[in-house]
Amino acid sequence: MSPTPAKPGGTRIPSRRTVLRGAFTAAVVTGTAGALLPLLDRDPAAADRPAPAPGPGSGSGAGSRATAEEFAEMYRGREIRGTATVVVPAGAPADDRVAVAAEPVTEIRIDGRPLHVMRRADGTYLSDVRHYESYPTLLETARAAVDELGTAQLAPPAAHHM
């Protein structure tokens, strides 16, 4: 390779390869920062707090206590309903940590059809429709599913044949 030409006064002019390499590096760093910003922008104190326990509900059996979260609304012309019920075994201490640790039984229906929802270890929810993104509440999960579905309907539940 030939040396980089020099300007009068002894300073070098950067080669085209050096300029392109610098621009590419800057673009990669900027893109990575943009992709990681939502993860790094979260409130660290919020991550340390446990997920809020659902509000009080009715008892569901001999000696057990249940707490429930319910919603029903029209969103973008679609009826969404959802419940999350946490059943705490009888004899468990009346402590919020037990209610948070118990696995809730969740159900979301969009226009009467069930939407499969899973709870992640961090307390957020994800659905079959938006399985690549999680949401802090069932209501936000249902709304995101409606946004993704648009005018399409959920498939009816498959009949189980044995």
Side-chain angles (χ1 to χ4, degrees):
M1 282 179 68
S2 62
T4 305
K7 287 184 182 178
T11 60
R12 289 187 176 177
I13 300 170
S15 69
R16 180 173 182 251
R17 178 177 287 164
T18 304
V19 171
L20 289 175
R21 186 178 298 151
F24 177 75
T25 302
V28 168
V29 168
T30 302
T32 303
L36 292 177
L37 183 63
L39 297 174
L40 300 175
D41 195 31
R42 290 186 177 170
D43 179 16
D48 294 338
R49 289 191 301 261
S58 60
S60 66
S64 65
R65 4 181 245 287
T67 57
E69 170 188 347
E70 287 188 57
F71 62 87
E73 72 174 29
M74 290 298 290
Y75 178 72
R76 297 192 177 200
R78 309 290 286 272
E79 179 188 22
I80 56 176
R81 294 182 176 272
T83 59
T85 306
V86 178
V87 177
V88 180
D95 190 349
D96 284 342
R97 288 177 293 174
V98 174
V100 170
E103 182 67 27
V105 177
T106 59
E107 180 182 50
I108 293 179
R109 291 189 172 269
I110 299 175
D111 294 333
R113 293 185 175 180
L115 171 68
H116 182 74
V117 177
M118 296 164 280
R119 185 162 186 186
R120 296 177 40 140
D122 64 359
T124 59
Y125 298 93
L126 57 95
S127 72
D128 280 347
V129 175
R130 296 287 301 251
H131 61 272
Y132 52 86
E133 191 170 352
S134 57
Y135 300 91
T137 66
L138 281 176
L139 180 58
E140 289 181 45
T141 306
R143 288 177 178 169
V146 168
D147 291 341
E148 187 71 22
L149 285 169
T151 58
Q153 291 288 326
L154 286 172
H160 296 288
H161 298 290
M162 292 191 174

